[in-house]
Amino acid sequence: MISSGIREAKYVSLDKMKYYIKKVKLMTLVCGIEEPLVLPVGLGEPLCHPQIMDILKYMEMFFKRISFTTNANLLNTHMAKELAKIKLESITLSLSYFNEQNYLLQCGLDFNRTVKNIIYYLKMRREEKSSGLAVIHIFDNNLNTEQDRHKFKETFEKYLRPNDVLNIRQYYELVDNDNLKTKLKKRNAFRPCYQLWQQLTVDVDGNLFPCCIAVWQKRSAYLELGNLEKTSLSDIFGKLSKIRAMQFDNEFGVCENCEILHHNEEFWLPSLLYDKKKCISGNIEYKMGTIGKVIFSRLESLMKRLNKRVMN
């Protein structure tokens, strides 16, 4: 994206990052979110930042729940020791491909160094008795063969702690998918994207988006919520409510090209069972008040479990 001119390579300064952290903390307090999960990643590799450990330590002062995602290529011995001391709820080590040639082609990085770094970090976590769990993932697409998946598990299993996870992760991408658009137009089967209620992403310039995928888009007025330094909280929440309302009315804008919308993890039930007005302005709510919430949330959970069984 940098070489194509879509994005500019830059670092956020530590002072500005501290401001962003405090502003996001304020937003969570205004929304009544007691224990938000913060994740310092979204567009780029966080270990590239020369002050990433200072950023994480500052985050610890404001948030109890911090997760971290890295491709681990820069996770050298010094960085591994420092990162193991941070109180993380979870860390995702994104290996993506367990084939040296495909890894080089897709990621442009040294496969053997990355694997070595992950193994060393997993050992360091044991020594430091680090909190949280570790998730190591590769994608489920055809660039990872059955043999690759077997080697992936065989390589890392012996270094894992009881709660750690080796994950064959679903591969999502932004696609110009005519079949998906046709389905959107033909029937009202697609619900608003669940990430409109679960995520808020801040880029290096303080611009706000409703999800991390939105940051990867070319500038889109549909997905821009404002700026942490320039936009009032009421205007930010107003724009978010507007996007939610549009998606309830099947106006998905650039989100039509996002596969996450097709594999939505919420809104499994028919639209008429949701309280549209309350959903737009606040949390996901069902009709019939408390009784509906109990009945429909259980039904939704059942449908999710059934769907996972079908996928497995």
Side-chain angles (χ1 to χ4, degrees):
M1 295 185 76
I2 293 168
S3 61
S4 66
I6 296 174
R7 304 291 296 189
E8 179 184 352
K10 61 170 70 173
Y11 296 112
V12 62
S13 69
L14 181 59
D15 287 341
K16 188 159 283 192
M17 190 66 199
K18 288 180 177 180
Y19 172 80
Y20 292 166
I21 290 169
K22 289 186 285 188
K23 191 69 175 285
V24 169
K25 177 64 176 181
L26 175 61
M27 293 177 73
T28 62
L29 292 173
V30 170
C31 293
I33 302 171
E34 295 182 3
E35 292 189 2
L37 176 67
V38 294
L39 178 64
V41 70
L43 186 67
E45 167 54 46
L47 292 182
C48 285
H49 199 293
Q51 294 173 292
I52 184 61
M53 292 304 161
D54 294 322
I55 291 172
L56 287 170
K57 289 172 184 175
Y58 195 75
M59 279 184 170
E60 285 184 305
M61 296 169 60
F62 293 88
F63 298 100
K64 294 181 180 179
R65 302 178 62 209
I66 303 172
S67 287
F68 196 75
T69 297
T70 173
N71 62 31
N73 195 254
L74 296 176
L75 193 59
N76 55 35
T77 55
H78 170 73
M79 197 73 78
K81 290 175 182 177
E82 292 297 308
L83 190 57
K85 296 174 183 177
I86 302 293
K87 293 180 181 178
L88 299 175
E89 181 169 304
S90 64
I91 181 169
T92 298
L93 302 155
S94 301
L95 187 55
S96 301
Y97 305 96
F98 207 74
N99 174 288
E100 186 172 357
Q101 184 176 359
N102 286 336
Y103 184 80
L104 179 62
L105 288 172
Q106 298 298 319
C107 304
L109 301 171
D110 187 321
F111 175 80
N112 292 316
R113 183 171 72 180
T114 301
V115 171
K116 182 180 177 181
N117 287 350
I118 292 175
I119 291 173
Y120 183 83
Y121 175 71
L122 293 175
K123 290 179 179 179
M124 191 53 56
R125 286 177 77 244
R126 286 182 176 274
E127 288 186 22
E128 293 290 338
K129 298 181 180 178
S130 303
S131 59
L133 61 88
V135 178
I136 312 170
H137 84 76
I138 58 173
F139 290 123
D140 65 353
N141 59 17
N142 57 12
L143 292 179
N144 284 309
T145 65
E146 195 63 40
Q147 185 178 11
D148 293 333
R149 298 178 190 189
H150 177 74
K151 288 182 179 179
F152 166 67
K153 293 178 180 179
E154 188 178 56
T155 299
F156 295 114
E157 272 182 340
K158 53 182 170 288
Y159 301 107
L160 302 181
R161 300 191 307 196
N163 292 329
D164 293 339
V165 178
L166 294 179
N167 186 20
I168 310 297
R169 177 184 167 187
Q170 191 164 6
Y171 183 78
Y172 291 123
E173 61 182 335
L174 297 172
V175 292
D176 191 11
N177 191 329
D178 290 333
N179 290 330
L180 179 56
K181 290 179 181 179
T182 301
K183 289 179 181 178
L184 283 165
K185 291 175 182 176
K186 280 187 175 180
R187 58 196 180 97
N188 297 332
F190 288 88
R191 310 285 178 256
C193 181
Y194 71 98
Q195 294 193 0
L196 293 172
W197 282 263
Q198 293 186 4
Q199 287 194 35
L200 192 65
T201 302
V202 187
D203 75 4
V204 68
D205 296 311
N207 298 313
L208 285 159
F209 302 90
C211 63
C212 60
I213 295 293
V215 186
W216 288 85
Q217 285 275 2
K218 294 180 180 179
R219 296 313 260 189
S220 169
Y222 179 87
L223 291 171
E224 290 180 6
L225 301 179
N227 185 279
L228 277 180
E229 297 181 271
K230 303 173 184 177
T231 312
S232 68
L233 294 184
S234 60
D235 285 346
I236 290 169
F237 295 135
K239 181 62 188 293
L240 181 60
S241 296
K242 183 180 178 181
I243 297 174
R244 291 173 175 177
M246 286 192 291
Q247 293 208 356
F248 264 109
D249 293 332
N250 294 307
E251 296 178 29
F252 295 98
V254 295
C255 296
E256 287 184 354
N257 293 335
C258 183
E259 289 191 345
I260 290 178
L261 187 67
H262 183 65
H263 301 284
N264 218 338
E265 294 183 11
E266 295 289 347
F267 295 105
W268 290 72
L269 303 176
S271 298
L272 59 87
L273 298 179
Y274 297 97
D275 190 320
K276 179 179 175 180
K277 187 175 180 180
K278 290 183 178 179
C279 286
I280 289 171
S281 61
N283 296 321
I284 296 175
E285 297 285 350
Y286 304 93
K287 289 182 177 178
M288 296 171 55
T290 305
I291 296 175
K293 185 174 183 178
V294 172
I295 296 173
F296 298 141
S297 61
R298 288 183 178 177
L299 179 58
E300 207 161 37
S301 296
L302 176 62
M303 292 180 70
K304 287 180 185 180
R305 289 198 298 271
L306 289 173
N307 184 65
K308 284 183 178 179
R309 288 183 181 179
V310 171
M311 290 179 67
N312 291 333

